Amino acid sequence: AECMLPIQEAPTVREDEPLLDAIGDMQQGPLDRALVLDGGMVVGLLSITDVGRLVAASQTGRRQRR
């Protein structure tokens, strides 16, 4: 089995892309993650797991503020 994709085939999102748009882009492909690009340079990796952690952290913060 292959473990790498050519960068042209890897899912990508822009650094300034809204999160909901990025999630939609990730759902279009077979992977649950995408390379984050800024001006064509890879600056990060976003995964569905990262999004889940962000949502969980924001919910915990809301509960603590009440």
Side-chain angles (χ1 to χ4, degrees), residues 1 7-8 11 18 21 25-27 29 31 33-34 37-38 40-41 43 45 47 50 52-55 58 60 65:
I7 196 163
Q8 302 86 337
D21 293 344
D25 291 346
M26 286 189 291
Q27 290 177 332
L31 305 176
R33 61 189 59 87
L37 303 179
D38 182 19
M41 299 277 300
V43 296
L45 179 69
S47 72
D50 296 331
R53 287 183 187 135
L54 177 65
V55 170
S58 70
T60 300
R65 285 185 230 139

Side-chain angles (χ1 to χ4, degrees), residues 4-52:
M4 293 187 277
L5 289 174
I7 196 163
Q8 302 86 337
E9 295 178 26
T12 61
V13 296
R14 292 183 329 276
E15 183 178 40
D16 61 349
E17 189 168 344
L19 184 57
L20 290 177
D21 293 344
I23 292 168
D25 291 346
M26 286 189 291
Q27 290 177 332
Q28 297 298 317
L31 305 176
D32 62 351
R33 61 189 59 87
L35 298 174
V36 180
L37 303 179
D38 182 19
M41 299 277 300
V42 176
V43 296
L45 179 69
L46 178 65
S47 72
I48 293 295
T49 303
D50 296 331
V51 174

